[in-house]
Amino acid sequence: MGWLDGKIILLSAAAQGIGRAAAIAFAKEGARVIATDINESKLQELGQYPGIQIQVLDVTKKEQIENLAKEIEKIDVLCNIAGFVHHGTILECEEQDWDFTMNLNVRSILHSSDVSTLLQMLKQKSGNIINMSSVASSIKGVVNRCVYSTSKAAVIGLTKAVAADFIEQGIRCNCICPGTVDTPSLQERIQARPNPGQALKDFLARQKTGRMATAEEVAHLFVYLASDESAYVTGNELIIDGGWSL
């Protein structure tokens, strides 16, 4: 018996990093997982795991989300994980950077949690939404993360609003706020810096534990929030940052 036996979980950004780790962890706990991502080749790798169904999806396309939701008879848990990290201050953020970041990091959650999915949960009189935020948000100011932090602060606000609006209809909504997590995305950002070695040292220096989190550690928190063990938890931002925000 697993923590998530019988639950149907839909999640985005499942091809790698935290999304991949969460999808695998959900399946190991007995859930039926519908894992989506825009990266079809990476997504195919999840097909080897029992309980995981893969689906190519661009979460910035509302019509794609609506069409997928119509094909799913029930959604117990919705995990909005897709996101983008822009590097720079407000002076280095062009309008297109702002628009792309807000569209992917915030608007995609609006699309995923709007009529197509939320109405389905309301008919069920139960539902659980888990959003991906970050410590780099309203929780902590972080250098060179202007638009990213703004978008993740918006995710916290959106999470609390949805939780407050639908708590009496049996809907829970929480968000997870990681610190620095060792993922392929992070490694790509490190390699993109002028001095990758120094960039890695800088990331490690801000972690009081002396290391980054693993994607699997964050996935454990996703499993908890997706399970009935967290039935009394809603409207919260759950921090997993190794003490970075202290």
Side-chain angles (χ1 to χ4, degrees):
M1 296 289 289
W3 273 28
L4 304 174
D5 283 344
K7 291 189 182 295
I8 299 174
I9 302 179
L10 172 64
L11 77 157
S12 64
Q16 59 183 5
I18 295 171
R20 175 187 169 86
I24 294 171
F26 289 152
K28 286 182 177 178
E29 290 296 335
R32 175 191 162 198
V33 181
I34 303 167
T36 73
D37 202 290
I38 197 171
N39 188 332
E40 184 174 6
S41 60
K42 286 287 185 183
L43 193 60
Q44 292 289 344
E45 298 173 9
L46 282 175
Q48 64 182 298
Y49 294 93
I52 298 181
Q53 168 190 337
I54 60 175
Q55 175 70 49
V56 177
L57 179 71
D58 182 348
V59 293
T60 65
K61 307 296 184 185
K62 184 177 181 180
E63 65 275 11
Q64 289 189 23
I65 297 171
E66 291 176 340
N67 290 336
L68 177 59
K70 291 174 184 176
E71 298 173 5
I72 304 171
E73 69 276 15
K74 180 184 180 185
I75 300 174
D76 295 301
V77 184
L78 171 66
C79 295
N80 295 305
I81 302 177
F84 171 73
V85 181
H86 176 268
H87 180 90
T89 69
I90 193 170
L91 298 178
E92 298 160 313
C93 179
E94 301 294 337
E95 278 196 40
Q96 59 265 31
D97 299 321
W98 181 277
D99 291 343
F100 179 79
T101 299
M102 298 301 286
N103 194 37
L104 180 55
N105 293 6
V106 185
R107 193 184 300 274
S108 68
I109 295 178
L110 175 65
H111 289 167
S112 298
S113 305
D114 69 359
V115 175
S116 56
T117 304
L118 190 54
L119 277 184
Q120 191 167 342
M121 289 182 173
L122 290 171
K123 289 178 182 177
Q124 299 165 186
K125 297 183 179 179
S126 67
N128 186 352
I129 301 171
I130 308 171
N131 296 323
M132 177 64 79
S133 185
S134 173
V135 166
S137 58
S138 53
I139 297 171
K140 180 179 177 64
V142 179
V143 296
N144 291 315
R145 290 292 181 268
C146 175
V147 64
Y148 177 76
S149 295
T150 302
S151 71
K152 292 304 183 179
V155 172
I156 293 175
L158 179 59
T159 296
K160 291 179 178 293
V162 171
D165 284 337
F166 299 102
I167 187 171
E168 295 181 3
Q169 288 77 37
I171 310 298
R172 293 195 293 129
C173 188
N174 294 285
C175 63
I176 292 177
C177 302
T180 309
V181 185
D182 191 359
T183 63
S185 172
L186 175 67
Q187 293 302 324
E188 289 172 5
R189 295 198 303 276
I190 288 174
Q191 292 305 313
R193 304 310 304 150
N195 186 337
Q198 186 58 51
L200 175 59
K201 289 179 182 179
D202 292 342
F203 276 116
L204 288 171
R206 70 189 194 184
Q207 297 302 129
K208 295 179 174 65
T209 55
R211 69 172 181 87
M212 303 175 194
T214 67
E216 289 72 23
E217 286 174 315
V218 181
H220 292 322
L221 188 49
F222 270 95
V223 169
Y224 168 69
L225 286 178
S227 75
D228 294 335
E229 300 294 324
S230 63
Y232 208 61
V233 180
T234 191
N236 290 298
E237 64 271 37
L238 284 84
I239 297 172
I240 176 169
D241 71 345
W244 184 29
S245 57
L246 290 174

